[in-house]
Amino acid sequence: MWTSIGVSSVEVLRRVGCEVEFDKRQTCCAQPAFNTGYLDEARLVARRFISIFEESKADAIVSPSGSCTAMVKHYSQLFAGDPKWLPRAQAIAAKTHELSSFLVRVLKKEDVGASWNGRLTWHDACHGLRDLNIKSEPRALIRNVRGAEFVELEHADSCCGFGGTFSVKYPEISVAILDQKIDAIERAGVQAVVSGDASCLMQIGGRLSRKGSKVRVMHLAELLNESSQQ
Amino acid sequence: MNNSARESILSSIRTHLAASPPVDAHPVNPVNPVILSQEDPVTRFKESVESVSGHCIITTDTADVLSRIITDLKARRIANSDNPPNAHDIFGYEVGISTAQAGIAETGTLVLDSACERHRLVSLVPPVHIAIINASAIVETLGDALTLLQKKEISPAITFITGPSRTADIELTLAIGVHGPQELYVIVDGSK
Amino acid sequence: MNHLSSETFKENARAALADVQLRGALKNATSLFGERRKEAAAGLPNWEDLRTQARAIKDDVLLHLDRYLEEFVRNAESRGATVHWARDAAEANQIICGLATERNARIVVKSKSMTTEETHLNDALEAAGMQVVETDLGEYIIQLAGEPPSHIIAPAIHKTRQQIGELFTAELGMPPTDNVDQMTSTARAKLRDRFAAADVGISGVNFAIAETGTIVIVENEGNIRLTTSLPRIHIAVMGIEKVIPRFADLDVFLKLLPRSGTGQRLTTYQSFITGTKRAPADEGPEEVHIVLLDNGRSRMLAHPVTRQSLACIRCGACLNACPVYQQVGGHAYGSVYPGPIGAVITPQLMGIQKAAQLPYASSLCGACREVCPVKIDIPQLLLHLRGEISPRKGSRAERLAFKMWAKVMVSPALYKMSGVAGRILQRVIPISRAWTNGRDLRPIESKSFHDLWSNE
């Protein structure tokens, strides 16, 4: 739904020397169904994901989403006790990486040649942080963005309140949690909030815009794709 | 007593466990203890007691320290765990004196064992508790104290005491002195 | 008592969000608890090893729960304790009321026990004609206020000091003040003579040691020691999952529980009670009774994911870390067990029908899992419960929506069309007010990433 994230991810990966392919048959990692408790439907969609990516000869599957990557890692739960699909799920999961984790841990790159002028901060998306242990990698990448002044957000690791269907099943609680995050962002006095998950950015961005804030939200891939020419 | 309930519960446990998919058992590996301080246990014990708002005096003349404390408190009704007042009368006493069978340096904890003395009310009801402990009875860690206690049969009532009584039930604000003593004095007897 | 119900969690939460005083109290309490816990955990370099060890011990106990329970009972009984087994809440209450009545008890003092809140023991005792006095300060406060507890370890945390001061003035005749020390001494004075007059003392149990038949109870105030030393009868109530194998295992659990609960290295008092006193002239109760409660716990043993619920040592750390609990507090959950652990054990203990909303009241952020001293994977449990509830109890519209969603996601042609459809729909139909009441909605772009890739 947010095309510039995909576009930026591809361009950043190419810039650091990767050959990138995109299988147009892909649809979804099945997270929405899994999280809402519709496991049969989730398995249907997850099997398709696994089958499609099995055909690829690529060394790695990279996703600009911590929560999608975490979902793929959870396929072993989804297919627990399934002798046919469990090994296939685990094989795919082993090859799947979130973008910042791939750049820093696998490619050992912390500087992708980006530049962006301004003061910004980072929001730790929950799945990336707690399921995938992604914490130092995005910060390392951001610190190498020329011209960017990075400030650590108060309670950067607190949930933004999205939680998938939680945000529409319990909207008032979702917004109450969100407002703690918004207050911290306003106190940080930044021009942009960066995160690794589009859903957090939609949640945070949606509230910032409703409040008439000038603070913009950016996906990490978009930031890393910024250069001084723009 | 109520054997049918017992059998029913045990049977329910067994049935549900049997229905469960098997899991890999994780071995229970002992955790290596971490000694956080190079200080001698008695010094560390004193610091720990004071960190929880207790008073700690190291001395070779226990009788003298004891009488000074009691004089300063202007206390007259003093209960002793050698010969404690009964449960009804003890509420009228101002000070309770007991010994402690062991102390834990890392936390400033006193270990009181009912097999050795009648400490349960003397160390609890009067608003001031004075505990006397031999320096040699102070061990480093909680684990050490538990090991010590298992050297003989566990007595009916063992009590660990760390500081005077307290609560934070109102707005998480610390208040010292709730149902147990409001003041704790620990006299460490360094003689011998 | 005016208890909110789990079945109306959504409405309860909405009301809680509108309560400014409550939200202020919650913010202060949860952040203080959180900071203290963090500092206390950091003070132990082997904290992570301890968590792993504790979980391994609990897993072993739960896999052999029948054996460890029998060992505990054998050892407790050989030392003089009388053990009772209660299949459910009603049976537990019946046993305890029976004991009290048979011994002509009139006054019962209680120290804090979540298990007795679970069974609504106080109501049963009062119906049997007893006067029941809660002696833990937080429990005393909510008893006076006629409210249920809102937190596992700090029952009155939802109240400000001003509210408590006013309550004490109204109910106890205390001169008006909001000074905490004065309120505490008022409670101390009022409760003192209750301890002395009580016939029966009822406590909970933190750990029951199979190897020695010992029950271990931890506290800061001294009311547990008074409750278990003064009255001639002591009744200890415990869930069957409280048993741990060896006396030495206490080293691990006594390091984890106080630090996780209140940020202390140790609480002021630990009472280790093994059977009854040896001689009649000794101090202590004449009779020690231990009531073992099942009430749905044995059912949870049937699956590794649900079994871990029983590893809980009731520290409350997950409540303090939870962004949902931080906003709405404990009463909204309508259960004596609120917050993340409450969201998973309440449906399992009370039945899914009674608490179907609770497993969905979470953003799955995982903060609870991070702070749990026994490494319970609460998000995994929540998802497991959602997997049980949604296919059967999800609204027809929702079940249908996900069936359709799956069909679209496995068909490239339908998927392509859905993007177009979505864009049209978003312009024509107002998106759920649930989202747009507080947030703007980012419009779906006219060209999808799939489209752009085609043009490469």
Side-chain angles (χ1 to χ4, degrees), chain A residues 51-202:
Chain A
S51 312
I52 286 169
F53 283 99
E54 272 175 342
E55 293 178 24
S56 163
K57 299 213 181 11
D59 304 299
I61 303 165
V62 180
S63 167
S65 163
S67 60
C68 297
T69 309
M71 179 66 228
V72 175
K73 305 287 186 194
H74 280 138
Y75 279 174
S76 50
Q77 236 178 281
L78 199 49
F79 294 105
D82 184 332
K84 183 175 164 217
W85 282 94
L86 181 60
R88 294 167 72 175
Q90 286 168 327
I92 290 297
K95 285 174 72 168
T96 306
H97 306 266
E98 181 273 347
L99 178 66
S100 70
S101 163
F102 184 70
L103 288 169
V104 175
R105 294 186 205 163
V106 178
L107 297 183
K108 314 275 192 238
K109 283 220 176 286
E110 293 181 2
D111 187 340
V112 300
S115 53
W116 184 87
N117 275 311
R119 206 172 136 92
L120 48 69
T121 189
W122 172 259
H123 159 70
D124 289 301
C126 293
H127 288 291
L129 176 69
R130 299 197 179 90
D131 289 354
L132 306 174
N133 278 315
I134 292 167
K135 190 170 178 134
S136 62
E137 297 80 357
R139 287 167 172 82
L141 290 161
I142 291 174
R143 280 185 217 276
N144 281 312
V145 174
R146 288 155 196 70
E149 186 198 338
F150 172 70
V151 298
E152 191 65 50
L153 186 64
E154 240 177 282
H155 305 302
D157 59 358
S158 290
C159 185
C160 70
F162 179 71
T165 48
F166 174 76
S167 66
V168 291
K169 276 186 201 252
Y170 294 101
E172 299 97 346
I173 308 178
S174 178
V175 171
I177 297 170
L178 174 58
D179 278 341
Q180 304 295 308
K181 182 66 59 174
I182 300 295
D183 287 347
I185 291 169
E186 282 167 357
R187 276 195 301 272
V190 293
Q191 281 137 324
V193 174
V194 188
S195 188
D197 244 295
S199 35
C200 303
L201 294 171
M202 255 204 329

Side-chain angles (χ1 to χ4, degrees), chain B residues 2 12 14 16 20 29 106 118 120-121 123 125 154 156 158 160 162 166 169 171 173 178-180, chain C residues 53 66 79 85 135 138 161 188 192 220-221 225 228 265 268-270 272 274 278 283 298 302 307:
Chain B
N2 65 333
S12 178
R14 290 173 190 135
H16 287 103
S20 168
N29 293 319
E106 70 180 349
R118 294 147 85 181
R120 288 178 84 164
L121 298 179
S123 66
V125 177
I154 310 281
I158 296 168
F160 282 15
T162 310
R166 66 198 59 217
D169 271 340
E171 280 192 358
T173 306
V178 197
H179 299 293
Chain C
Q53 174 73 338
D66 54 331
R79 300 294 304 270
W85 299 72
T135 62
R161 70 177 69 189
R188 176 188 166 101
R192 220 101 169 109
N220 277 310
E221 296 178 20
R225 289 179 62 196
T228 59
R265 283 183 306 186
T268 314
Y269 307 114
Q270 287 77 44
F272 302 77
T274 308
R278 292 208 175 109
E283 295 178 299
S298 55
R307 191 153 64 227

Side-chain angles (χ1 to χ4, degrees), chain B residues 78-90:
Chain B
I78 297 154
N80 201 306
S81 65
D82 285 341
N83 187 16
N86 67 41
H88 185 75
D89 293 338
I90 195 162

Side-chain angles (χ1 to χ4, degrees), chain B residues 10-157:
Chain B
L10 288 171
S11 160
S12 178
I13 291 171
R14 290 173 190 135
T15 308
H16 287 103
L17 280 173
S20 168
V23 280
D24 299 320
H26 296 289
V28 179
N29 293 319
V31 177
N32 291 324
V34 175
I35 306 290
L36 293 169
S37 166
Q38 298 301 322
E39 283 176 318
D40 77 283
V42 175
T43 311
R44 186 135 180 254
F45 177 76
K46 177 175 151 84
E47 282 165 6
S48 300
V49 168
E50 288 167 352
S51 76
V52 288
S53 312
H55 309 280
C56 184
I57 304 107
I58 304 171
T59 181
T60 48
D61 190 348
T62 297
D64 177 60
V65 172
L66 193 53
S67 76
R68 276 195 287 116
I69 295 172
I70 288 169
T71 308
D72 289 345
L73 289 170
K74 298 187 176 50
R76 258 153 327 142
R77 302 203 71 200
I78 297 154
N80 201 306
S81 65
D82 285 341
N83 187 16
N86 67 41
H88 185 75
D89 293 338
I90 195 162
F91 281 85
Y93 281 71
E94 298 157 283
V95 175
I97 304 177
S98 78
T99 59
Q101 283 61 62
I104 305 174
E106 70 180 349
T107 48
T109 301
L110 299 163
V111 177
L112 281 72
D113 188 335
S114 67
C116 300
E117 60 163 354
R118 294 147 85 181
H119 71 268
R120 288 178 84 164
L121 298 179
V122 160
S123 66
L124 175 63
V125 177
V128 178
H129 174 213
I130 304 175
I132 302 166
I133 182 173
N134 285 329
S136 57
I138 294 173
V139 299
E140 295 264 11
T141 68
L142 178 64
D144 293 335
L146 294 170
T147 306
L148 205 63
L149 286 167
Q150 278 204 282
K151 284 194 153 63
K152 56 180 179 74
E153 191 184 275
I154 310 281
S155 66

